[in-house]
Amino acid sequence: MADLYTQIQDEIAKYPDRRSAILPALRHAQEHYGWLSPEALETVADGLELSPAHCLSVASFYDMFFLQPVGDHVVEVCTNLSCALVGSDIVLRAFEEELGVVAPGTTADGKVTLRRVECLGGCGWGPVVSVDEEYQEHFKTEDIAPLISELRATPRPSESHA
Ligand code: FES
């Protein structure tokens, strides 16, 4: 895999204005560091000739960027209106009980981060739960225990692809 600097330069080359590459650059930085740490934001800012504060302000607009460290696996429950109408709050509470954390939070063993997120774009198939960026639709509370057992036994996705 190319180093982060090269990845950012490759993204910049796709646009007439280097600042237009901010979203893919942030994405690469998050993949590299695991979250958008101050160091990650500084790397992106240097590449795009922007301030770290500007990069943070853009990243903070999107649910897909992590502004705090996360666990090996990230479970995100959509609690927007369509999912709420079909029980996403019940699903979120059941996840919190199973994991022993309150969203947003990470289990003590660092294996799973639970987050509440805005619409994931699958409104007709709620409740929608994203597990390491793979969507599970019509999610039911009885799916939680087997899912968590599987995640606890599985390495971080980036490690399993290494
Ligand atoms: S409201 Fe949950 S996916 Fe849109």
Side-chain angles (χ1 to χ4, degrees):
M1 189 170 80
D3 64 55
L4 181 57
Y5 175 82
T6 304
Q7 288 176 317
I8 292 174
Q9 294 307 313
D10 287 348
E11 294 297 344
I12 289 169
K14 296 175 186 173
Y15 300 93
D17 182 333
R18 63 196 306 118
R19 294 172 300 179
S20 302
I22 189 164
L23 292 180
L26 288 167
R27 182 82 186 176
H28 285 303
Q30 179 163 286
E31 283 171 7
H32 184 83
Y33 288 96
W35 66 292
L36 291 178
S37 61
E39 191 182 350
L41 289 168
E42 215 157 284
T43 304
V44 172
D46 284 350
L48 300 180
E49 296 174 5
L50 294 167
S51 70
H54 181 91
C55 296
L56 176 61
S57 72
V58 171
S60 67
F61 185 76
Y62 297 94
D63 271 338
M64 63 191 180
F65 292 123
F66 307 142
L67 304 181
Q68 301 290 331
V70 293
D72 291 351
H73 301 281
V74 178
V75 173
E76 299 171 307
V77 180
C78 170
T79 54
N80 248 178
L81 185 57
S82 298
C83 287
L85 290 172
V86 290
S88 63
D89 279 343
I90 295 167
V91 169
L92 181 66
R93 276 199 300 276
F95 265 115
E96 289 178 333
E97 272 178 35
E98 181 73 27
L99 293 168
V101 298
V102 174
T106 300
T107 54
D109 62 3
K111 287 299 279 187
V112 182
T113 292
L114 177 66
R115 304 172 79 216
R116 169 198 292 261
V117 290
E118 298 298 327
C119 181
L120 291 170
C123 315
W125 297 274
V128 179
V129 172
S130 169
V131 180
D132 294 331
E133 299 188 341
E134 286 194 10
Y135 290 6
Q136 299 195 9
E137 298 155 349
H138 301 300
F139 198 91
K140 299 179 194 64
T141 52
E142 53 265 38
D143 300 332
I144 292 175
L147 170 66
I148 297 304
S149 304
E150 187 187 325
L151 292 180
R152 287 193 192 284
T154 309
R156 185 182 286 262
S158 57
E159 291 169 9
S160 59
H161 296 154

